[in-house]
Amino acid sequence: GAGVSQSPRYKVAKRGQDVALRCDPISGHVSLFWYQQALGQGPEFLTYFQNEAQLDKSGLPSDRFFAERPEGSVSTLKIQRTQQEDSAVYLCASSTLQGAGKKAFFGQGTRLTVV
Amino acid sequence: SQQGEEDPQALSIQEGENATMNCSYKTSINNLQWYRQNSGRGLVHLILIRSNEREKHSGRLRVTLDTSKKSSSLLITASRAADTASYFCATVNLYGNNRLAFGKGNQVVVIP
């Protein structure tokens, strides 16, 4: 596609509800990242995929957070039993190859509000 | 935890003036990148500078990197109202981890 696409753009969840956030990376991009951005803060790393392999999940804040990329393209970030502190913008980014010198292309994010 | 730290965090300037933002980091890096974020939108990559580079230009942007001081600066020359946004620096560390470590960001307002 032309860019990284995320859906939904906005999600309101009741506390305790499960949510699933989708990311469509740029076609052919091997690397995919998820970040969490709280209001007024910079993005914080959550997890990293190279193709379908989840190589780094050290940023996931709890075992309620789970991410997958089963076919090496589309990725889903799932949050179980949402809490108010999960309210944030969730950003997905993709890049070519696995080199550290590659710039990342970001989607517009999903704004999650837990009420 | 955030690695980069930008200073100052809020900047208000007149159109046509230059805007300068600074960033510091703590670890050894492969490269440092600057991103722009308009309100409610995703981040847009502006410029990447590698650890063996000291200065880089792209259009009205000038980035410097001082690895001995672990700091970088972003200069936007002849600012425009459309430059109003938040600007983040992000580092990629040296030791095989591809993730970006972002700072808190600078809010820049350019007054027409």
Side-chain angles (χ1 to χ4, degrees):
Chain A
V4 178
S5 177
Q6 292 187 247
S7 61
R9 284 293 313 277
Y10 304 93
K11 175 70 179 178
V12 178
K14 291 185 179 178
R15 192 171 56 182
Q17 186 179 352
D18 297 350
V19 298
L21 313 179
R22 178 186 168 105
C23 172
D24 278 272
I26 293 173
S27 178
H29 277 194
V30 168
S31 298
L32 185 145
F33 304 82
W34 284 98
Y35 293 86
Q36 179 190 59
Q37 186 175 24
L39 189 64
Q41 300 295 316
E44 290 261 15
F45 170 82
L46 293 177
T47 187
Y48 163 61
F49 290 86
Q50 182 178 311
N51 294 308
E52 69 278 3
Q54 189 174 21
L55 298 187
D56 186 350
K57 54 182 182 179
S58 61
L60 295 176
S62 77
D63 59 8
R64 296 186 295 104
F65 287 70
F66 172 76
E68 60 183 5
R69 193 186 185 198
E71 297 177 0
S73 55
V74 171
S75 177
T76 303
L77 176 67
K78 297 179 179 177
I79 310 173
Q80 297 177 323
R81 304 181 304 280
T82 51
Q83 304 293 317
Q84 283 191 317
E85 62 262 28
D86 300 335
S87 295
V89 175
Y90 290 86
L91 295 165
C92 176
S94 69
S95 66
T96 58
L97 301 176
Q98 64 270 28
K102 306 300 180 185
K103 69 180 186 182
F105 294 82
F106 281 80
Q108 296 203 25
T110 294
R111 182 178 296 277
L112 172 66
T113 303
V114 181
V115 297
Chain B
S1 61
Q2 302 277 12
Q3 173 163 281
E5 296 178 0
E6 289 86 12
D7 171 41
Q9 293 195 346
L11 183 64
S12 183
I13 57 174
Q14 294 289 330
E15 201 166 29
E17 293 181 341
N18 296 342
T20 301
M21 290 154 268
N22 298 305
C23 167
S24 61
Y25 57 92
K26 294 183 173 68
T27 65
S28 297
I29 64 170
N30 176 287
N31 65 76
L32 184 145
Q33 304 176 31
W34 284 90
Y35 287 82
R36 183 186 73 226
Q37 185 176 39
N38 290 88
S39 180
R41 309 292 293 272
L43 290 95
V44 174
H45 180 269
L46 295 176
I47 195 164
L48 180 155
I49 186 165
R50 301 186 189 282
S51 60
N52 60 354
E53 297 176 310
R54 291 298 164 258
E55 187 171 312
K56 203 161 183 181
H57 296 253
S58 177
R60 294 184 295 113
L61 304 179
R62 173 178 167 254
V63 170
T64 63
L65 180 64
D66 187 335
T67 53
S68 66
K69 295 181 180 177
K70 289 187 163 55
S71 67
S72 173
S73 68
L74 172 67
L75 168 69
I76 305 173
T77 60
S79 62
R80 304 168 182 169
D83 295 330
T84 295
S86 293
Y87 292 83
F88 295 90
C89 78
T91 54
V92 176
N93 75 33
L94 190 58
Y95 301 109
N97 189 320
N98 293 324
R99 66 195 202 187
L100 293 164
F102 285 89
K104 295 179 182 176
N106 278 272
Q107 271 199 307
V108 175
V109 175
V110 181
I111 302 166

